[in-house]
């Protein structure tokens, strides 16, 4: 009977933790094959080389065996979480943006400049949060608990603005192009409007799925990020120079609350 009570308590605590995992990255992170850099205002503040060498503000920090062990754990924990998160966030979004461009270009002879400008704005908003290259990952300072909001609200709104802002210009261009052709211009334009509505709905569905994936991943990462925060705290106690660069912030009043 006692074991059942303990199991129930653990289950309740786990559910509470999942529901109240409020995690922030307070600095940017750049991860390559050999290095991890903690950056602030485009300046590298902390650098880990090969998982076991540490620089703070450009100065080498001599580490003993225990400190090196904790640093290696910290390095590996970052590599186990952040690149996957960046991949998940960026994967598919640029494909959706390219799909919009291709569809619009196919509907008229010329892609409206307003669409091109708006989609570049959407891409920039994404790159400001996440970047992924052939040999690096970047994540900006942000709340990891609100990644789903970023895609379901911010990115979605920007894409809607891009589509709606370009639709009028595209229809005018299409109408001009059809004036010398046979057929009902009004029907053709209405058809374009319908197709754009379908495209918008499909994009919304894709972004909603992305937001749900990120929300689930954030829950999955909650325990990992708590462990990362604990390891960071151990490392800061051993290496006081790191105290000014607290990477992971978890709100203490929400952390694993059982109430």
């Amino acid at each position: 009977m006692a074991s059942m009570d303990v199991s129930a308590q653990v289950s309740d605590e786990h559910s509470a933790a999942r529901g109240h995992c409020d995690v922030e990255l307070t600095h940017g992170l750049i991860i390559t094959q050999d290095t991890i850099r903690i950056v602030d205002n485009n300046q590298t503040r902390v650098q880990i080389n090969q998982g076991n060498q540490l620089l703070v503000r450009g100065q080498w920090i001599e580490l003993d065996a225990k400190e090196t062990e904790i640093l290696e754990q910290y390095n590996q924990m970052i590599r186990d979480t952040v690149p996957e998160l960046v991949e998940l966030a960026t994967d598919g979004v640029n494909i959706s943006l390219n799909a919009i461009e291709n569809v619009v270009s196919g509907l008229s002879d010329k892609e409206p400049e307003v669409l091109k400008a708006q989609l570049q704005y959407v891409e920039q908003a994404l790159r400001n949060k996440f970047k992924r290259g052939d040999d690096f990952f970047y994540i900006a300072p942000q709340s990891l608990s609100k990644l789903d909001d970023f895609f379901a609200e911010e990115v979605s709104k920007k894409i809607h603005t891009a589509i709606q802002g370009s639709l009028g210009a595209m229809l005018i261009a299409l109408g001009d192009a059809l004036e010398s052709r046979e057929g009902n211009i009004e029907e053709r334009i209405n058809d374009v409007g319908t197709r754009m509505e379908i495209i918008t709905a499909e994009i919304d569905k894709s972004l909603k799925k992305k937001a749900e994936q990120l929300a689930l991943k954030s829950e999955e990462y909650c325990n990992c990020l708590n462990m990362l925060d604990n390891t960071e705290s151990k490392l800061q106690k051993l290496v006081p120079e790191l105290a000014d660069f607290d990477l992971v912030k978890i709100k203490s009043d929400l952390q694993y609350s059982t109430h």
Side-chain angles (χ1 to χ4, degrees):
M1 189 70 174
S3 61
M4 290 178 63
D5 292 339
V6 170
S7 298
Q9 182 180 354
V10 170
S11 177
D12 290 343
E13 289 181 358
H14 180 64
S15 297
R18 283 195 314 171
H20 298 89
C21 190
D22 197 345
V23 184
E24 290 186 12
L25 290 183
T26 58
H27 298 276
L29 268 177
I30 299 174
I31 302 173
T32 67
Q33 182 176 351
D34 298 324
T35 67
I36 289 177
R37 290 191 286 147
I38 298 175
V39 297
D40 183 29
N41 295 324
N42 296 320
Q43 297 290 321
T44 298
R45 306 302 185 183
V46 177
Q47 181 166 325
I48 304 172
N49 294 335
Q50 308 297 336
N52 56 18
Q53 298 174 340
L54 179 65
L55 292 89
V56 180
R57 293 190 176 95
Q59 300 296 316
W60 286 100
I61 305 297
E62 294 291 337
L63 303 176
D64 61 25
K66 179 63 175 177
E67 293 163 350
T68 300
E69 179 184 357
I70 301 299
L71 179 66
E72 288 174 339
Q73 292 175 8
Y74 183 60
N75 173 82
Q76 192 58 50
M77 286 179 176
I78 291 174
R79 291 184 179 278
D80 286 344
T81 53
V82 174
E84 184 180 2
L85 204 58
V86 173
E87 283 188 345
L88 182 60
T90 56
D91 185 41
V93 175
N94 288 329
I95 294 175
S96 297
L97 298 180
N98 290 334
I100 297 171
E101 289 187 282
N102 292 336
V103 169
V104 173
S105 298
L107 293 174
S108 62
D109 295 333
K110 183 179 180 182
E111 177 185 338
E113 288 299 318
V114 65
L115 176 66
K116 187 177 295 185
Q118 289 284 356
L119 291 184
Q120 287 175 349
Y121 184 55
V122 176
E123 289 175 343
Q124 186 59 50
L126 183 65
R127 284 197 298 267
N128 286 342
K129 292 271 190 179
F130 313 95
K131 291 180 186 175
R132 179 180 62 175
D134 293 336
D135 58 355
F136 78 95
F137 295 90
Y138 167 76
I139 188 168
Q142 60 189 290
S143 170
L144 298 183
S145 310
K146 298 178 180 178
L147 290 180
D148 51 336
D149 290 341
F150 172 67
F151 283 91
E153 296 180 15
E154 186 173 344
V155 173
S156 179
K157 286 177 182 177
K158 283 181 168 60
I159 289 179
H160 273 262
T161 300
I163 292 174
Q164 295 302 321
S166 64
L167 185 55
M170 186 185 67
L171 291 177
I172 291 172
L174 183 59
D176 292 341
L178 290 172
E179 282 184 355
S180 59
R181 303 180 189 176
E182 295 182 358
N184 189 309
I185 295 175
E186 185 177 349
E187 288 182 2
R188 292 289 299 276
I189 289 178
N190 287 338
D191 179 60
V192 170
T194 300
R195 290 171 69 179
M196 292 301 286
E197 288 178 4
I198 293 172
I199 294 165
T200 303
E202 287 300 312
I203 290 168
D204 282 344
K205 188 187 299 182
S206 175
L207 288 172
K208 182 180 179 182
K209 182 177 180 181
K210 175 71 66 178
E212 290 171 351
Q213 288 176 331
L214 286 163
L216 289 171
K217 186 59 67 174
S218 294
E219 288 184 3
E220 179 184 321
Y221 278 170
C222 190
N223 188 49
C224 295
L225 291 167
N226 271 281
M227 292 172 62
L228 177 60
D229 186 44
N230 290 335
T231 302
E232 182 177 56
S233 296
K234 291 178 184 178
L235 191 60
Q236 288 170 342
K237 289 178 181 178
L238 295 171
V239 185
E241 292 90 342
L242 289 172
D244 292 335
F245 306 107
D246 198 25
L247 177 65
V248 181
K249 180 180 179 182
I250 300 178
K251 291 187 179 179
S252 58
D253 58 329
L254 298 179
Q255 185 174 0
Y256 288 95
S257 172
T258 59
H259 304 290

